[in-house]
Amino acid sequence: MMSFEVTPGMRRLGASVLGMEAIVAGLVTPVAIGVGEVEPAVAVTVGIGLAVLCVIAAGLLKRPFGYVLGSVVQVLAICTGFLVTTMFFLGVLFTALWITAIIVARRVEGATSR
């Protein structure tokens, strides 16, 4: 079984991605209400809820579970495209950044530890 070792670089890059994503998720709320004509209660629950989940996941990145939660956040971000169509694209973009952050940090820190 493959072990998942959390490195400082992974935490930094992952937290950066989740931090930017939290801002975008929060900004989905007014767009969903104004442009998408989504009910305010639904838009606030989804947008602010996703933003809070991003912050929680970023805080848990010292443990492997934080990366599981961060990955769930990526799926949820893509699903917000059902409220604001642009989020399909942005969700996929953030997912790509999330995966890249993990892979790049592991490779860089693996190369520098040799």
Side-chain angles (χ1 to χ4, degrees), residues 6-19 58 61 67 101 105 109:
V6 176
T7 64
M10 286 172 57
R11 286 196 308 266
R12 282 190 295 272
L13 288 174
S16 296
V17 170
L18 289 168
L61 291 181
Y67 294 88
E109 291 182 352

Side-chain angles (χ1 to χ4, degrees), residues 31-50:
V31 173
I33 295 168
V35 177
E37 299 179 3
V38 175
E39 289 292 320
V42 173
V44 168
T45 302
V46 171
I48 303 303
L50 184 60

Side-chain angles (χ1 to χ4, degrees), residues 78-99:
I78 294 170
C79 289
T80 59
F82 291 108
L83 295 181
V84 177
T85 309
T86 307
M87 281 304 292
F88 283 125
F89 171 74
L90 291 174
V92 168
L93 181 67
F94 275 110
T95 301
L97 288 171
W98 174 251
I99 292 167

Side-chain angles (χ1 to χ4, degrees), residues 60-80:
L60 293 173
L61 291 181
K62 288 185 179 181
R63 298 195 169 100
F65 176 74
Y67 294 88
V68 173
L69 183 58
S71 298
V72 169
V73 165
Q74 304 316 311
V75 173
L76 294 175
I78 294 170
C79 289
T80 59

